Amino acid sequence: MSQTNDMPQTELITFGAVHLNVTNLQQSLEFWQKIGGLQIRNLKINSAEIGTHQKTLVVLHQEAKMPFQTGFSGLYHFAIHVADEKEFAKIVFNLLSEKYPFSPVDHVMSKSVYLKDPDGINIEFALETPERFKKVIASEGLMIEDSDGNKRPVSGLLSVNQLLQELPPNSEKLELSENTKIGHFHFYAKNIEQTNLFYQNIGFRQFNHLSEYLYADLGAGGFYQHRIALNSWHGFNKPLAPAHSAGLRHFELVYHNNSLLNEALSSCNFSKDSENYLVDPTGNKISLTTS
């Protein structure tokens, strides 16, 4: 599916902070400071807000009793999107310098590195490159046609050496800029159709819906449309991970249009938990706010 012309050029919905349950707060803080380039913004006994100097991106809660558990529905990964290629190169250089394991991937519409935190939570650092993307081709095996007309893998190998040519001279300690943001979430869905419809009902717009590949994703305006992604590659109707395991606690959606938020809240019968979070059909908890 190619990008549609009726998408607004500004984001209608963005992400606030992502809240994670972790087993060891100090260990997680060391990871995010040393490996992720984030700063401590607010520190309590069993929780911490981290991000840039002026913006919280991740909130850590020391409430997990066991590491991240695989084979369940829920979080596949979440992504921190960086400002530009130079900053992305600094992240890769930092990972190499720290000898921290990661996977470099070229998705055409983004460049990404994947890694795990100390609890095994999957994290992506990404650079948005929608100008390189033309459309997804699903008729002859899943491929992407780039803006030059070339057919490329959906998840190709990212050239680290080429990327490092963008590294600024005399690069100092990694510290992410204020333009850094939570850029997308990718979930293992219990039921893709139900979860996909849920996110449409709260304001997201369909980008790709590839039932034969057990995959769908949605955007929220702007040129980069991969904001919520869903798959059932882990199996159908799998439960959430056991309580008290490390992983996603909840995440925040920020609506930049009050009428869109009101429309989202009135569009269907939402499931709410005892803490008054919205709960998607997979079981992910969501807090909705306005800018």
Side-chain angles (χ1 to χ4, degrees):
M1 181 179 293
S2 61
Q3 301 199 64
T4 55
N5 294 326
D6 61 346
M7 293 291 287
Q9 294 186 10
T10 56
E11 300 279 345
L12 300 173
I13 309 168
T14 56
F15 299 106
V18 52
H19 292 246
L20 301 175
N21 285 331
V22 299
T23 59
N24 185 307
L25 183 60
Q26 186 58 43
Q27 188 178 42
S28 292
L29 285 174
E30 289 175 2
F31 164 81
W32 282 108
Q33 289 179 284
K34 190 173 185 179
I35 304 300
L38 299 187
Q39 315 300 310
I40 298 175
R41 305 195 68 245
N42 188 13
L43 179 62
K44 298 180 181 178
I45 295 176
N46 290 315
S47 66
E49 296 181 15
I50 55 177
T52 64
H53 286 293
Q54 300 179 21
K55 179 169 57 180
T56 296
L57 297 175
V58 178
V59 183
L60 302 169
H61 302 266
Q62 186 177 284
E63 295 192 6
K65 306 300 183 185
M66 64 182 85
F68 183 82
Q69 302 294 298
T70 60
F72 296 92
S73 292
L75 184 67
Y76 179 30
H77 63 256
F78 74 93
I80 294 176
H81 289 203
V82 300
D84 54 37
E85 192 140 26
K86 286 182 171 55
E87 188 159 284
F88 188 63
K90 287 177 69 175
I91 288 172
V92 173
F93 179 76
N94 187 61
L95 289 169
L96 292 170
S97 299
E98 297 293 339
K99 298 181 180 179
Y100 200 90
F102 69 98
S103 298
V105 178
D106 191 340
H107 293 300
V108 183
M109 70 180 302
S110 67
K111 298 178 181 180
S112 302
V113 291
Y114 294 87
L115 58 152
K116 295 180 184 293
D117 83 343
D119 282 310
I121 299 171
N122 293 304
I123 299 159
E124 176 183 354
F125 284 90
L127 173 67
E128 298 178 12
T129 58
E131 71 280 357
R132 300 192 302 152
F133 172 85
K134 183 176 180 181
K135 63 181 179 181
V136 171
I137 305 171
S139 59
E140 48 191 84
L142 199 56
M143 300 287 289
I144 288 179
E145 183 179 341
D146 67 20
S147 56
D148 294 324
N150 302 308
K151 292 180 182 178
R152 300 174 58 176
V154 171
S155 297
L157 179 63
L158 179 67
S159 174
V160 171
N161 290 334
Q162 182 178 1
L163 178 66
L164 292 179
Q165 294 178 13
E166 299 295 329
L167 192 69
N170 303 318
S171 292
E172 300 176 354
K173 177 183 176 182
L174 177 64
E175 186 172 306
L176 299 185
S177 72
E178 294 301 329
N179 290 326
T180 309
K181 63 186 180 182
I182 302 297
H184 75 266
F185 284 84
H186 196 153
F187 298 115
Y188 285 127
K190 285 184 180 179
N191 182 301
I192 285 183
E193 302 304 320
Q194 292 177 2
T195 309
N196 185 54
L197 181 59
F198 170 89
Y199 284 103
Q200 289 185 66
N201 285 338
I202 64 171
F204 287 86
R205 303 185 179 197
Q206 195 74 71
F207 185 38
N208 296 290
H209 189 185
L210 306 171
S211 300
E212 66 272 35
Y213 292 100
L214 306 179
Y215 176 85
D217 64 352
L218 307 97
F223 295 110
Y224 186 88
Q225 298 177 40
H226 180 83
R227 297 302 182 193
I228 296 287
L230 311 166
N231 76 67
S232 287
W233 302 332
H234 66 312
F236 296 102
N237 297 314
K238 291 290 186 74
L240 292 177
H244 303 303
S245 58
L248 180 65
R249 182 185 181 97
H250 72 271
F251 66 99
E252 302 171 2
L253 289 179
V254 181
Y255 286 73
H256 301 285
N257 182 312
N258 286 336
S259 62
L260 182 62
L261 174 59
N262 293 332
E263 182 180 327
L265 291 171
S266 62
S267 64
C268 64
N269 294 321
F270 293 113
S271 172
K272 293 186 178 182
D273 69 0
S274 59
E275 297 176 294
N276 212 34
Y277 292 107
L278 294 186
V279 183
D280 75 10
T282 292
N284 301 301
K285 294 182 180 181
I286 313 166
S287 170
L288 273 59
T289 63
T290 56
S291 58

